[in-house]
Amino acid sequence: MLERLKKAMVTSFVGGVALGWVFAQGILHFAYAFSAPLLDWLRRREYREMTNCSTTSTAFYLQEALLEV
């Protein structure tokens, strides 16, 4: 059964598009795992500057990447 599914995915146009889409999503999520902490840090820094609030943390948290990993 697994061989038939594998053959259908490789030989059909829809299967090829689906495999490409899954591969692209994997690459995007992998890249976002590295960019999410940086983007969050930039957002918090800008918010702190706009509000003139000194109590907002400007630390760099790697916890933001856990959602994507």
Side-chain angles (χ1 to χ4, degrees):
M1 166 124 177
L2 193 58
E3 287 297 321
R4 284 184 17 204
L5 178 64
K6 182 178 169 183
K7 184 178 178 184
M9 290 295 282
V10 171
T11 59
S12 73
F13 177 73
V14 175
V17 170
L19 287 174
W21 183 77
V22 168
F23 183 67
Q25 288 295 313
I27 291 172
L28 287 174
H29 284 278
F30 183 74
Y32 188 72
F34 292 106
S35 65
L38 178 65
L39 291 174
D40 186 58
W41 176 73
L42 288 172
R43 269 189 245 124
R44 281 188 279 120
R45 195 182 78 184
E46 284 182 18
Y47 177 75
R48 182 177 183 201
E49 290 173 1
M50 284 178 17
T51 60
N52 293 326
C53 180
S54 62
T55 59
T56 306
S57 174
T58 57
F60 190 78
Y61 295 114
L62 290 176
Q63 299 169 2
E64 301 297 323
L66 290 179
L67 294 174
E68 293 298 321
V69 175

